[in-house]
Amino acid sequence: MSSERIITAALASVLISLLLVGIVSGTLFQHVVQVVPVAAAIVAVVRRVDAAPYAAMPIFVFWFGIMILIWLFLLGISNVTTGHFTPAEIALTIVIGAASAAGIATALRAKSTAKLAKRAALFVGFAVFQIAAMWLSLRPFIASA
């Protein structure tokens, strides 16, 4: 399977799983905001933007990091992330974490003819985009919607 297909499948898995978390937890609107960068990365990969793996990489790293924080909380190791997680949500963290890990591994191996500046710009741009989407989703006017 091509790296584009693997990255697309991994991004789609993250997107769908996050939306399912939103449905299960009653926070669908927050999760819709959080997945906008994921959807944009899917568009970049599907349109074969030559540096698309560098757009997807920070998305995968971000969500893998969040999943690690949730797992550390569930194991009683860290309280950076808190809350109550249903069995469905826990299962979805495993799907998101696995998809993110596969996406990271594939994006690292993906070939690109894009110049370093373009790859760096996409990486930083999508990292900022994902962090901003998360920040926005936690604002009271979205979190209470």
Side-chain angles (χ1 to χ4, degrees):
M1 187 181 294
S2 72
S3 62
E4 290 86 9
R5 285 183 183 224
I6 295 169
I7 291 170
T8 301
L11 285 167
S13 296
V14 170
L15 187 144
I16 292 165
S17 296
L18 287 168
L19 292 177
L20 288 172
V21 169
I23 291 168
V24 169
S25 66
T27 57
L28 182 58
F29 189 58
Q30 280 183 283
H31 285 81
V32 167
V33 172
Q34 292 170 7
V35 300
V36 170
V38 183
I42 290 171
V43 170
V45 175
V46 169
R47 295 181 112 201
R48 297 184 183 264
V49 172
D50 58 354
Y54 295 90
M57 176 70 77
I59 305 291
F60 293 133
V61 170
F62 179 87
W63 287 110
F64 190 69
I66 296 293
M67 295 310 108
I68 288 172
L69 292 174
I70 291 170
W71 297 332
L72 290 174
F73 168 73
L74 292 171
L75 293 170
I77 297 170
S78 172
N79 287 332
V80 173
T81 304
T82 60
H84 173 74
F85 296 89
T86 66
E89 290 169 314
I90 294 168
L92 288 165
T93 68
I94 295 168
V95 173
I96 295 165
S100 294
I104 291 167
T106 304
L108 285 172
R109 289 190 312 268
K111 304 283 189 253
S112 176
T113 59
K115 294 185 186 240
L116 178 59
K118 182 174 184 178
R119 290 180 287 176
L122 274 174
F123 184 93
V124 171
F126 270 81
V128 170
F129 190 15
Q130 183 62 74
I131 291 166
M134 178 60 90
W135 177 85
L136 182 63
S137 76
L138 297 173
R139 299 301 94 206
F141 66 92
I142 300 234
S144 64

